[in-house]
mmCIF file of all heavy atoms in Angstrom:
data_model
loop_
_atom_site.group_PDB
_atom_site.id
_atom_site.type_symbol
_atom_site.label_atom_id
_atom_site.label_comp_id
_atom_site.label_asym_id
_atom_site.label_seq_id
_atom_site.Cartn_x
_atom_site.Cartn_y
_atom_site.Cartn_z
ATOM 1 N N ASP G 1 114.460 91.739 81.379
ATOM 2 C CA ASP G 1 115.328 92.512 82.260
ATOM 3 C C ASP G 1 114.555 93.552 83.074
ATOM 4 O O ASP G 1 115.150 94.281 83.848
ATOM 5 C CB ASP G 1 116.419 93.257 81.462
ATOM 6 C CG ASP G 1 117.464 92.325 80.846
ATOM 7 O OD1 ASP G 1 117.592 91.197 81.355
ATOM 8 O OD2 ASP G 1 118.111 92.735 79.878
ATOM 9 N N VAL G 2 113.237 93.599 82.873
ATOM 10 C CA VAL G 2 112.414 94.690 83.385
ATOM 11 C C VAL G 2 111.394 94.184 84.361
ATOM 12 O O VAL G 2 110.797 93.097 84.194
ATOM 13 C CB VAL G 2 111.686 95.364 82.246
ATOM 14 C CG1 VAL G 2 110.792 96.517 82.778
ATOM 15 C CG2 VAL G 2 112.651 95.947 81.215
ATOM 16 N N LEU G 3 111.194 94.955 85.460
ATOM 17 C CA LEU G 3 110.056 94.653 86.393
ATOM 18 C C LEU G 3 109.139 95.881 86.375
ATOM 19 O O LEU G 3 109.568 97.017 86.629
ATOM 20 C CB LEU G 3 110.638 94.429 87.824
ATOM 21 C CG LEU G 3 109.603 94.088 88.900
ATOM 22 C CD1 LEU G 3 108.802 92.873 88.542
ATOM 23 C CD2 LEU G 3 110.275 93.933 90.263
ATOM 24 N N LEU G 4 107.887 95.634 86.093
ATOM 25 C CA LEU G 4 106.861 96.705 86.050
ATOM 26 C C LEU G 4 106.144 96.773 87.389
ATOM 27 O O LEU G 4 105.895 95.777 88.052
ATOM 28 C CB LEU G 4 105.838 96.419 84.927
ATOM 29 C CG LEU G 4 106.407 96.385 83.510
ATOM 30 C CD1 LEU G 4 105.238 96.067 82.533
ATOM 31 C CD2 LEU G 4 107.088 97.679 83.159
ATOM 32 N N HIS G 5 105.712 97.968 87.746
ATOM 33 C CA HIS G 5 104.911 98.187 88.939
ATOM 34 C C HIS G 5 104.059 99.458 88.839
ATOM 35 O O HIS G 5 104.418 100.397 88.087
ATOM 36 C CB HIS G 5 105.757 98.229 90.229
ATOM 37 C CG HIS G 5 107.147 98.725 90.029
ATOM 38 N ND1 HIS G 5 107.497 100.033 90.230
ATOM 39 C CD2 HIS G 5 108.280 98.085 89.646
ATOM 40 C CE1 HIS G 5 108.786 100.181 89.995
ATOM 41 N NE2 HIS G 5 109.286 99.064 89.606
ATOM 42 N N ASP G 6 102.945 99.470 89.555
ATOM 43 C CA ASP G 6 102.021 100.575 89.512
ATOM 44 C C ASP G 6 102.631 101.823 90.198
ATOM 45 O O ASP G 6 103.141 101.745 91.331
ATOM 46 C CB ASP G 6 100.729 100.152 90.233
ATOM 47 C CG ASP G 6 99.685 101.254 90.148
ATOM 48 O OD1 ASP G 6 99.661 102.098 91.083
ATOM 49 O OD2 ASP G 6 98.885 101.251 89.259
ATOM 50 N N TYR G 7 102.564 102.962 89.528
ATOM 51 C CA TYR G 7 103.152 104.201 90.041
ATOM 52 C C TYR G 7 102.479 104.640 91.344
ATOM 53 O O TYR G 7 103.183 104.956 92.319
ATOM 54 C CB TYR G 7 102.986 105.295 89.025
ATOM 55 C CG TYR G 7 103.334 106.671 89.513
ATOM 56 C CD1 TYR G 7 104.628 107.068 89.763
ATOM 57 C CD2 TYR G 7 102.322 107.604 89.775
ATOM 58 C CE1 TYR G 7 104.966 108.357 90.248
ATOM 59 C CE2 TYR G 7 102.597 108.899 90.240
ATOM 60 C CZ TYR G 7 103.928 109.249 90.453
ATOM 61 O OH TYR G 7 104.255 110.522 90.932
ATOM 62 N N GLU G 8 101.146 104.641 91.385
ATOM 63 C CA GLU G 8 100.451 105.109 92.620
ATOM 64 C C GLU G 8 100.741 104.144 93.809
ATOM 65 O O GLU G 8 101.007 104.580 94.912
ATOM 66 C CB GLU G 8 98.967 105.202 92.357
ATOM 67 C CG GLU G 8 98.184 105.817 93.522
ATOM 68 C CD GLU G 8 96.728 106.073 93.144
ATOM 69 O OE1 GLU G 8 96.331 105.843 91.993
ATOM 70 O OE2 GLU G 8 95.996 106.543 94.044
ATOM 71 N N ALA G 9 100.709 102.840 93.511
ATOM 72 C CA ALA G 9 100.934 101.843 94.597
ATOM 73 C C ALA G 9 102.371 101.925 95.124
ATOM 74 O O ALA G 9 102.581 101.627 96.321
ATOM 75 C CB ALA G 9 100.662 100.456 94.067
ATOM 76 N N TRP G 10 103.358 102.317 94.316
ATOM 77 C CA TRP G 10 104.718 102.423 94.823
ATOM 78 C C TRP G 10 104.868 103.341 95.964
ATOM 79 O O TRP G 10 105.745 103.201 96.825
ATOM 80 C CB TRP G 10 105.638 102.849 93.649
ATOM 81 C CG TRP G 10 106.994 103.324 94.060
ATOM 82 C CD1 TRP G 10 107.518 104.574 93.929
ATOM 83 C CD2 TRP G 10 108.024 102.572 94.788
ATOM 84 N NE1 TRP G 10 108.795 104.625 94.461
ATOM 85 C CE2 TRP G 10 109.125 103.418 94.977
ATOM 86 C CE3 TRP G 10 108.090 101.271 95.216
ATOM 87 C CZ2 TRP G 10 110.285 103.017 95.631
ATOM 88 C CZ3 TRP G 10 109.258 100.840 95.853
ATOM 89 C CH2 TRP G 10 110.351 101.727 96.042
ATOM 90 N N HIS G 11 103.972 104.342 96.119
ATOM 91 C CA HIS G 11 104.057 105.277 97.200
ATOM 92 C C HIS G 11 103.755 104.627 98.552
ATOM 93 O O HIS G 11 104.059 105.220 99.602
ATOM 94 C CB HIS G 11 103.162 106.499 96.959
ATOM 95 C CG HIS G 11 103.683 107.359 95.860
ATOM 96 N ND1 HIS G 11 103.524 107.024 94.499
ATOM 97 C CD2 HIS G 11 104.408 108.520 95.881
ATOM 98 C CE1 HIS G 11 104.126 107.967 93.764
ATOM 99 N NE2 HIS G 11 104.645 108.886 94.557
ATOM 100 N N TYR G 12 103.150 103.463 98.542
ATOM 101 C CA TYR G 12 102.914 102.766 99.812
ATOM 102 C C TYR G 12 104.169 102.219 100.416
ATOM 103 O O TYR G 12 104.492 102.496 101.580
ATOM 104 C CB TYR G 12 101.849 101.699 99.638
ATOM 105 C CG TYR G 12 100.451 102.237 99.500
ATOM 106 C CD1 TYR G 12 100.033 102.996 98.369
ATOM 107 C CD2 TYR G 12 99.509 102.086 100.542
ATOM 108 C CE1 TYR G 12 98.777 103.541 98.287
ATOM 109 C CE2 TYR G 12 98.246 102.658 100.458
ATOM 110 C CZ TYR G 12 97.880 103.353 99.344
ATOM 111 O OH TYR G 12 96.628 103.918 99.283
ATOM 112 N N PRO G 13 104.990 101.442 99.686
ATOM 113 C CA PRO G 13 106.270 101.105 100.207
ATOM 114 C C PRO G 13 107.145 102.312 100.566
ATOM 115 O O PRO G 13 107.836 102.345 101.604
ATOM 116 C CB PRO G 13 106.950 100.257 99.107
ATOM 117 C CG PRO G 13 105.787 99.759 98.302
ATOM 118 C CD PRO G 13 104.721 100.793 98.394
ATOM 119 N N LEU G 14 107.081 103.322 99.731
ATOM 120 C CA LEU G 14 107.909 104.497 99.908
ATOM 121 C C LEU G 14 107.617 105.216 101.225
ATOM 122 O O LEU G 14 108.493 105.887 101.749
ATOM 123 C CB LEU G 14 107.682 105.434 98.702
ATOM 124 C CG LEU G 14 108.761 106.487 98.393
ATOM 125 C CD1 LEU G 14 110.115 105.808 98.141
ATOM 126 C CD2 LEU G 14 108.355 107.304 97.167
ATOM 127 N N ASN G 15 106.405 105.110 101.683
ATOM 128 C CA ASN G 15 105.961 105.758 102.909
ATOM 129 C C ASN G 15 105.719 104.799 104.065
ATOM 130 O O ASN G 15 105.203 105.150 105.100
ATOM 131 C CB ASN G 15 104.733 106.598 102.674
ATOM 132 C CG ASN G 15 104.995 107.783 101.788
ATOM 133 O OD1 ASN G 15 105.493 108.796 102.244
ATOM 134 N ND2 ASN G 15 104.660 107.680 100.526
ATOM 135 N N TYR G 16 106.047 103.530 103.834
ATOM 136 C CA TYR G 16 105.874 102.456 104.844
ATOM 137 C C TYR G 16 104.387 102.387 105.248
ATOM 138 O O TYR G 16 104.026 102.251 106.413
ATOM 139 C CB TYR G 16 106.751 102.707 106.093
ATOM 140 C CG TYR G 16 106.884 101.430 106.922
ATOM 141 C CD1 TYR G 16 107.681 100.359 106.456
ATOM 142 C CD2 TYR G 16 106.299 101.280 108.125
ATOM 143 C CE1 TYR G 16 107.856 99.230 107.178
ATOM 144 C CE2 TYR G 16 106.423 100.122 108.906
ATOM 145 C CZ TYR G 16 107.229 99.100 108.434
ATOM 146 O OH TYR G 16 107.376 97.937 109.170
ATOM 147 N N PHE G 17 103.515 102.367 104.176
ATOM 148 C CA PHE G 17 102.095 102.133 104.373
ATOM 149 C C PHE G 17 101.727 100.719 104.096
ATOM 150 O O PHE G 17 102.345 100.065 103.289
ATOM 151 C CB PHE G 17 101.246 103.054 103.487
ATOM 152 C CG PHE G 17 101.389 104.516 103.756
ATOM 153 C CD1 PHE G 17 101.013 105.461 102.781
ATOM 154 C CD2 PHE G 17 101.836 104.995 104.987
ATOM 155 C CE1 PHE G 17 101.074 106.787 103.048
ATOM 156 C CE2 PHE G 17 101.921 106.367 105.259
ATOM 157 C CZ PHE G 17 101.511 107.278 104.245
ATOM 158 N N HIS G 18 100.662 100.240 104.753
ATOM 159 C CA HIS G 18 100.122 98.888 104.420
ATOM 160 C C HIS G 18 99.250 99.067 103.210
ATOM 161 O O HIS G 18 98.415 99.972 103.094
ATOM 162 C CB HIS G 18 99.276 98.431 105.604
ATOM 163 C CG HIS G 18 98.748 97.030 105.433
ATOM 164 N ND1 HIS G 18 97.439 96.766 104.991
ATOM 165 C CD2 HIS G 18 99.316 95.840 105.693
ATOM 166 C CE1 HIS G 18 97.299 95.456 104.977
ATOM 167 N NE2 HIS G 18 98.416 94.876 105.386
ATOM 168 N N LEU G 19 99.458 98.183 102.192
ATOM 169 C CA LEU G 19 98.797 98.297 100.901
ATOM 170 C C LEU G 19 97.699 97.235 100.783
ATOM 171 O O LEU G 19 97.968 96.042 100.557
ATOM 172 C CB LEU G 19 99.779 98.142 99.764
ATOM 173 C CG LEU G 19 99.212 98.234 98.348
ATOM 174 C CD1 LEU G 19 98.381 99.505 98.104
ATOM 175 C CD2 LEU G 19 100.338 98.109 97.317
ATOM 176 N N ALA G 20 96.444 97.692 100.906
ATOM 177 C CA ALA G 20 95.316 96.773 100.775
ATOM 178 C C ALA G 20 94.050 97.642 100.708
ATOM 179 O O ALA G 20 94.093 98.850 100.803
ATOM 180 C CB ALA G 20 95.250 95.838 101.978
ATOM 181 N N ALA G 21 92.934 96.955 100.533
ATOM 182 C CA ALA G 21 91.659 97.668 100.616
ATOM 183 C C ALA G 21 91.532 98.350 101.970
ATOM 184 O O ALA G 21 92.101 97.876 102.966
ATOM 185 C CB ALA G 21 90.493 96.690 100.384
ATOM 186 N N ARG G 22 90.799 99.458 101.989
ATOM 187 C CA ARG G 22 90.734 100.241 103.237
ATOM 188 C C ARG G 22 90.328 99.444 104.441
ATOM 189 O O ARG G 22 90.940 99.579 105.499
ATOM 190 C CB ARG G 22 89.735 101.414 103.001
ATOM 191 C CG ARG G 22 89.576 102.361 104.212
ATOM 192 C CD ARG G 22 90.904 103.080 104.503
ATOM 193 N NE ARG G 22 90.717 103.967 105.615
ATOM 194 C CZ ARG G 22 90.402 105.253 105.495
ATOM 195 N NH1 ARG G 22 90.139 105.801 104.304
ATOM 196 N NH2 ARG G 22 90.304 106.050 106.545
ATOM 197 N N ARG G 23 89.341 98.601 104.325
ATOM 198 C CA ARG G 23 88.867 97.840 105.495
ATOM 199 C C ARG G 23 89.951 96.870 105.989
ATOM 200 O O ARG G 23 90.067 96.647 107.208
ATOM 201 C CB ARG G 23 87.566 97.074 105.160
ATOM 202 C CG ARG G 23 87.704 95.992 104.116
ATOM 203 C CD ARG G 23 86.391 95.332 103.779
ATOM 204 N NE ARG G 23 86.533 94.252 102.832
ATOM 205 C CZ ARG G 23 86.710 94.369 101.538
ATOM 206 N NH1 ARG G 23 86.709 95.608 101.016
ATOM 207 N NH2 ARG G 23 86.863 93.301 100.764
ATOM 208 N N VAL G 24 90.702 96.317 105.022
ATOM 209 C CA VAL G 24 91.782 95.372 105.415
ATOM 210 C C VAL G 24 92.911 96.112 106.131
ATOM 211 O O VAL G 24 93.405 95.670 107.154
ATOM 212 C CB VAL G 24 92.303 94.638 104.167
ATOM 213 C CG1 VAL G 24 93.495 93.738 104.562
ATOM 214 C CG2 VAL G 24 91.172 93.847 103.531
ATOM 215 N N SER G 25 93.283 97.284 105.576
ATOM 216 C CA SER G 25 94.379 98.073 106.223
ATOM 217 C C SER G 25 93.931 98.589 107.565
ATOM 218 O O SER G 25 94.736 98.625 108.506
ATOM 219 C CB SER G 25 94.815 99.221 105.275
ATOM 220 O OG SER G 25 95.555 98.725 104.199
ATOM 221 N N ASP G 26 92.646 98.974 107.704
ATOM 222 C CA ASP G 26 92.150 99.463 108.999
ATOM 223 C C ASP G 26 92.184 98.357 110.037
ATOM 224 O O ASP G 26 92.604 98.612 111.192
ATOM 225 C CB ASP G 26 90.733 100.000 108.871
ATOM 226 C CG ASP G 26 90.675 101.353 108.149
ATOM 227 O OD1 ASP G 26 91.746 101.955 107.987
ATOM 228 O OD2 ASP G 26 89.560 101.774 107.794
ATOM 229 N N ARG G 27 91.851 97.141 109.595
ATOM 230 C CA ARG G 27 91.850 95.990 110.515
ATOM 231 C C ARG G 27 93.290 95.703 110.930
ATOM 232 O O ARG G 27 93.597 95.416 112.122
ATOM 233 C CB ARG G 27 91.230 94.757 109.870
ATOM 234 C CG ARG G 27 91.087 93.577 110.773
ATOM 235 C CD ARG G 27 90.174 92.477 110.209
ATOM 236 N NE ARG G 27 90.695 92.004 108.931
ATOM 237 C CZ ARG G 27 90.040 92.147 107.770
ATOM 238 N NH1 ARG G 27 88.879 92.815 107.728
ATOM 239 N NH2 ARG G 27 90.510 91.643 106.665
ATOM 240 N N PHE G 28 94.206 95.757 109.976
ATOM 241 C CA PHE G 28 95.623 95.517 110.295
ATOM 242 C C PHE G 28 96.179 96.584 111.259
ATOM 243 O O PHE G 28 96.916 96.295 112.207
ATOM 244 C CB PHE G 28 96.472 95.464 109.049
ATOM 245 C CG PHE G 28 97.951 95.260 109.274
ATOM 246 C CD1 PHE G 28 98.441 94.039 109.733
ATOM 247 C CD2 PHE G 28 98.854 96.278 109.003
ATOM 248 C CE1 PHE G 28 99.770 93.869 109.980
ATOM 249 C CE2 PHE G 28 100.193 96.121 109.273
ATOM 250 C CZ PHE G 28 100.662 94.875 109.735
ATOM 251 N N GLU G 29 95.784 97.806 111.023
ATOM 252 C CA GLU G 29 96.252 98.940 111.890
ATOM 253 C C GLU G 29 95.754 98.739 113.300
ATOM 254 O O GLU G 29 96.506 98.938 114.293
ATOM 255 C CB GLU G 29 95.793 100.263 111.343
ATOM 256 C CG GLU G 29 96.322 101.450 112.078
ATOM 257 C CD GLU G 29 96.013 102.766 111.393
ATOM 258 O OE1 GLU G 29 95.436 102.746 110.311
ATOM 259 O OE2 GLU G 29 96.333 103.828 112.000
ATOM 260 N N ARG G 30 94.530 98.292 113.481
ATOM 261 C CA ARG G 30 93.974 98.003 114.825
ATOM 262 C C ARG G 30 94.735 96.823 115.463
ATOM 263 O O ARG G 30 95.040 96.850 116.682
ATOM 264 C CB ARG G 30 92.496 97.662 114.733
ATOM 265 C CG ARG G 30 91.608 98.867 114.367
ATOM 266 C CD ARG G 30 90.137 98.560 114.635
ATOM 267 N NE ARG G 30 89.637 97.473 113.809
ATOM 268 C CZ ARG G 30 89.156 97.621 112.609
ATOM 269 N NH1 ARG G 30 89.059 98.821 112.074
ATOM 270 N NH2 ARG G 30 88.674 96.593 111.952
ATOM 271 N N HIS G 31 95.128 95.848 114.662
ATOM 272 C CA HIS G 31 95.866 94.703 115.200
ATOM 273 C C HIS G 31 97.231 95.157 115.695
ATOM 274 O O HIS G 31 97.685 94.726 116.774
ATOM 275 C CB HIS G 31 95.997 93.615 114.078
ATOM 276 C CG HIS G 31 96.851 92.477 114.449
ATOM 277 N ND1 HIS G 31 96.542 91.636 115.523
ATOM 278 C CD2 HIS G 31 98.014 92.005 113.916
ATOM 279 C CE1 HIS G 31 97.480 90.710 115.609
ATOM 280 N NE2 HIS G 31 98.366 90.909 114.660
ATOM 281 N N CYS G 32 97.881 96.026 114.935
ATOM 282 C CA CYS G 32 99.167 96.536 115.311
ATOM 283 C C CYS G 32 99.075 97.290 116.632
ATOM 284 O O CYS G 32 99.913 97.128 117.555
ATOM 285 C CB CYS G 32 99.762 97.446 114.278
ATOM 286 S SG CYS G 32 100.289 96.607 112.728
ATOM 287 N N LYS G 33 98.072 98.122 116.751
ATOM 288 C CA LYS G 33 97.874 98.943 117.978
ATOM 289 C C LYS G 33 97.582 98.062 119.143
ATOM 290 O O LYS G 33 98.185 98.260 120.254
ATOM 291 C CB LYS G 33 96.730 99.908 117.737
ATOM 292 C CG LYS G 33 96.543 100.886 118.910
ATOM 293 C CD LYS G 33 95.469 101.879 118.569
ATOM 294 C CE LYS G 33 95.286 102.898 119.707
ATOM 295 N NZ LYS G 33 94.241 103.920 119.389
#
């Protein structure tokens, strides 16, 4: 009945951040721009 998730990582959905290694998120951010 339970779903587990990482506490620190949950703050990425909570703040609408892309969750990945820094270089991957930076590349995605450039793509969005």
Side-chain angles (χ1 to χ4, degrees):
D1 290 339
V2 178
L3 182 58
L4 298 180
H5 29 94
D6 183 271
Y7 169 74
E8 187 171 357
W10 164 244
H11 290 77
Y12 283 71
L14 201 58
N15 290 281
Y16 199 71
F17 293 162
H18 186 262
L19 178 56
R22 180 64 179 269
R23 66 183 183 281
V24 176
S25 287
D26 286 349
R27 186 167 60 244
F28 178 69
E29 187 172 354
R30 290 194 297 271
H31 176 60
C32 290
K33 186 175 181 180

